Amino acid sequence: MLKGRRITTYWLLALTLVPMAAEWARLQLFSTTRATLMFDLATADFDIRLAQYGHLLVGPPDRYGWHHPGPALYYLYAAAYWVFGASARTL
């Protein structure tokens, strides 16, 4: 019974990772345009870069001057951002 669950888990993991790997390869091999970030994406990129080095201590800022709770999501994004090339195209 446990062996069947483990195999199912591996298949689900493969079904998730294979399309991501294919998209990463496509972006690395065939993308020639340079991406320029504007507005909110530029702020998100900056916050993710801060999280990569452990310097993000608060959540993303709001336009009214307060911060949303917790930077935990940006620390999760930082790992994927690093794996997929740490560039503007990653976002």
Side-chain angles (χ1 to χ4, degrees):
M1 183 72 174
L2 184 61
K3 187 176 182 179
R5 287 185 184 172
R6 186 175 297 155
I7 291 173
T8 303
T9 302
Y10 290 144
W11 274 105
L12 289 174
L13 183 64
L15 285 173
T16 304
L17 293 178
V18 166
M20 291 176 72
E23 180 64 17
W24 177 81
R26 185 190 69 81
L27 284 172
Q28 296 301 317
L29 297 174
F30 302 112
S31 182
T32 58
T33 59
R34 185 174 180 132
T36 303
L37 299 177
M38 299 175 67
F39 308 114
D40 290 340
L41 282 178
T43 304
D45 182 61
F46 181 71
D47 287 341
I48 290 171
R49 288 177 187 266
L50 284 177
Q52 269 185 315
Y53 299 105
H55 298 298
L56 187 65
L57 302 177
V58 295
D62 188 76
R63 64 181 169 188
Y64 299 113
W66 55 277
H67 289 272
H68 292 276
L73 188 60
Y74 283 95
Y75 282 101
L76 291 175
Y77 288 159
Y81 189 78
W82 177 75
V83 167
F84 289 107
S87 70
R89 290 185 296 168
T90 303
L91 292 176

